[in-house]
Amino acid sequence: MTRLAVREEAKARQEEVQRRGRGLGWMSLGLGVAQLAAPDTVRRISGVDDSVTSRAVVPLVGARELVHAAGLLTSRRKSAWTWTRVVGDAMDLASLGMAIAHRGGRRRRRLLGVTGAVLGITVLDVLTAVQATRAKGIGSAPAVRGARRGGPMELTATTTVRKPPSEVYAFWRDLGNLPTFMAHLQEIRATGDRTSHWSASAPFGTNVEWDAEIIDEATGEKIAWRSTGNADVPNAGTVRFMPAPDGVSTEVHVVLTYDIPGGAVGKAVARYFGEEPHQQLDDDLRRLKQVLETGEVVRSDGAPWGKRARKEFPQRPARPLSASELAKGADA
């Protein structure tokens, strides 16, 4: 199953949980109103109209149902509220069991019917609570935190380049150009029309290599690729080139996914990508913009080794201003 399919499935599960939660909320609202507005009728239908205790219990249960209704209809945290309904169902079943043991005849038959209905509602509540808990687990963890435990990490970024889409596409399609602006890439060597061999820097001064293939392509519009074979860090990417509103520039939209392994290796890779991996991709696209618009990466005189941790994009050392530069500054 593709990453997109997994995300779509998770989204569908969460939407289903929201629908079920709202349905249970309306059910709680109806039960609560009935038990508070017509407690005698509810007691008679249930078969506990001969009990003094039920005069106090039925309104209390009605109030509890209204609380559940408020939570389920207004909160997106369906997991917690559905589990509170399960607890309430258990309390109701225990009370009904005690009532059945002390009644016979018509009242007992009514209680058995009510107990069957409550059992059905309990099953629905449990299923919804379990589904809500699972959906919460799928959607709550940020990509980077998930990567530290092992699993997929998705990065997205966008930039606008003042060049036409055809030119930006052509530059990216020549995969050998990617290392000129992507910090962790060392070399990409074409091995076929749609296949290539990639080499990248990795933690602890090591390198990783893998083969990749272009799996989807629309000239001037999109390139999608993925790693093949037994890659140490399976990955995939999609880049789209869209005309900007100004009619001259190109919006570049990039999505990268890495399947980070668990354990010590996963932690090391996640640490390598940094606490803000999206920032790294943003920096890569900023350099892409510079290369295409100016022909080179703009470098600071004050940072001769760029990102010192991995000595990326070496820059010339700082130097004092020349006489002409000093004169120009004085005139300004």
Side-chain angles (χ1 to χ4, degrees):
M1 185 178 291
T2 65
R3 299 277 186 270
L4 178 60
V6 171
R7 291 196 299 272
E8 290 298 326
E9 182 180 354
K11 182 179 179 181
R13 287 182 181 178
Q14 291 170 345
E15 290 176 349
E16 177 63 21
V17 166
Q18 295 298 320
R19 286 195 295 270
R20 285 191 182 182
R22 286 191 294 270
L24 292 176
W26 287 113
M27 182 186 297
S28 288
L29 180 62
L31 291 172
V33 170
Q35 289 168 316
L36 289 174
D40 293 340
T41 301
V42 172
R43 290 169 54 240
R44 185 173 62 255
I45 293 174
S46 302
V48 294
D49 52 321
D50 61 334
S51 169
V52 176
T53 303
S54 66
R55 295 180 183 275
V57 171
V58 170
L60 289 176
V61 173
R64 185 195 72 197
E65 291 294 341
L66 290 182
V67 172
H68 287 161
L72 288 166
L73 293 174
T74 62
S75 174
R76 294 191 61 83
R77 297 180 59 186
K78 306 302 185 191
S79 175
W81 286 106
T82 50
W83 281 117
T84 62
R85 271 190 59 90
V86 172
V87 173
D89 293 338
M91 295 169 59
D92 292 343
L93 289 172
S95 299
L96 289 168
M98 294 175 61
I100 290 172
H102 293 86
R103 284 170 177 79
R106 183 179 297 178
R107 285 193 173 91
R108 184 183 180 89
R109 289 193 294 272
R110 289 178 182 175
L111 281 167
L112 287 172
V114 171
T115 301
V118 174
L119 277 172
I121 294 173
T122 301
V123 171
L124 178 60
D125 286 344
V126 170
L127 290 176
T128 304
V130 170
Q131 188 178 22
T133 301
R134 289 177 177 174
K136 178 182 177 183
I138 292 173
S140 62
V144 178
R145 294 183 184 273
R148 289 185 179 273
R149 295 190 298 270
M153 176 171 66
E154 180 178 287
L155 310 179
T156 61
T158 302
T159 192
T160 300
V161 180
R162 194 168 177 77
K163 294 288 182 179
S166 58
E167 184 174 339
V168 182
Y169 164 85
F171 182 82
W172 195 296
R173 182 59 177 83
D174 184 357
L175 300 179
N177 288 327
L178 268 58
T180 65
F181 62 88
M182 286 192 162
H184 64 289
L185 292 179
Q186 293 184 334
E187 180 186 18
I188 300 179
R189 174 169 44 86
T191 57
D193 183 51
R194 299 171 70 90
T195 60
S196 53
H197 184 79
W198 298 48
S199 175
S201 56
F204 315 118
T206 60
N207 296 331
V208 292
E209 299 185 10
W210 66 90
D211 293 318
E213 65 176 348
I214 293 176
I215 57 175
D216 191 15
E217 183 176 15
T219 302
E221 298 178 4
K222 179 179 71 172
I223 303 172
W225 69 96
R226 67 181 177 190
S227 61
T228 61
N230 189 24
D232 291 333
V233 182
N235 61 87
T238 301
V239 56
R240 299 178 183 274
F241 310 91
M242 303 174 61
D246 64 6
V248 177
S249 305
T250 302
E251 293 182 358
V252 182
H253 300 264
V254 180
V255 178
L256 298 180
T257 59
Y258 298 89
D259 195 359
I260 303 299
V265 175
K267 291 181 180 179
V269 174
R271 188 181 306 115
Y272 173 68
F273 283 113
E275 293 296 334
E276 294 294 340
H278 289 82
Q279 183 60 51
Q280 177 175 307
L281 183 56
D282 287 340
D283 290 344
D284 287 343
L285 292 190
R286 175 178 53 80
R287 286 187 288 267
L288 168 68
K289 178 180 176 69
Q290 292 173 353
V291 168
L292 285 171
E293 292 182 352
T294 70
E296 64 177 351
V297 175
V298 178
R299 303 180 173 100
S300 168
D301 287 338
W305 282 106
K307 295 181 180 179
R308 186 174 299 276
R310 295 192 294 275
K311 295 185 177 180
E312 297 158 1
F313 303 105
Q315 304 164 6
R316 65 179 182 269
R319 57 177 175 76
L321 294 175
S322 65
S324 60
E325 290 170 332
L326 287 172
K328 184 177 179 181
D331 293 340

